[in-house]
Amino acid sequence: MGRRDGCISRVNVKTGEMDFFATCHKGPVSKVEVNNEMNQFVSLGISPSLRLWKVALNQDDIFVPLFDISWQFPIKHVALVRGLIGFALSSTGSPTHRVVVYNTAKAGRAH
């Protein structure tokens, strides 16, 4: 779950309490997408920034940064599918988007 203070938190579904959180952005977090298959999640900040994280399960759920991008205009859309992350960048007032697809498994751009 993204928070206004720039943190990402995990909610324990049994208790409803936040049992872990980490600072991930300088400003509010606008979106979080999870890829359970790869133990990864992506977070979007209002700043605008996008960060891809690996959850290191054997290290008390420490978030390891894998990818970080900042853009002068808002990042409009993001999706995680298997080992790919896709996101759309746009300029303010422009009806067009630039779509980027990144292969997280190979640490290189897929397209």
Side-chain angles (χ1 to χ4, degrees):
M1 147 185 297
R3 300 176 9 166
R4 289 184 201 159
D5 62 0
C7 292
I8 302 287
S9 59
R10 181 181 65 189
V11 177
N12 183 317
V13 294
K14 293 180 183 176
T15 65
E17 308 249 338
M18 284 187 262
D19 61 1
F20 180 81
F21 72 94
T23 302
C24 295
H25 290 271
K26 292 180 183 174
V29 176
S30 61
K31 185 171 182 127
V32 176
E33 288 285 328
V34 178
N35 182 341
N36 290 326
E37 196 175 295
M38 303 282 291
N39 291 328
Q40 296 174 344
F41 70 93
V42 65
S43 58
L44 294 180
I46 301 278
S47 45
S49 61
L50 176 145
R51 295 196 172 124
L52 177 67
W53 305 87
K54 176 88 170 170
V55 180
L57 298 173
N58 59 346
Q59 299 176 6
D60 296 326
D61 292 330
I62 294 174
F63 302 156
V64 178
L66 298 177
F67 179 80
D68 185 354
I69 184 171
S70 293
W71 183 251
Q72 117 187 54
F73 302 110
I75 299 167
K76 298 289 188 179
H77 309 284
V78 65
L80 281 169
V81 180
R82 298 203 174 131
L84 301 175
I85 178 174
F87 51 96
L89 307 167
S90 72
S91 301
T92 304
S94 172
T96 62
H97 290 73
R98 175 171 295 185
V99 176
V100 177
V101 178
Y102 185 82
N103 187 333
T104 63
K106 295 182 180 178
R109 288 186 187 209
H111 296 116

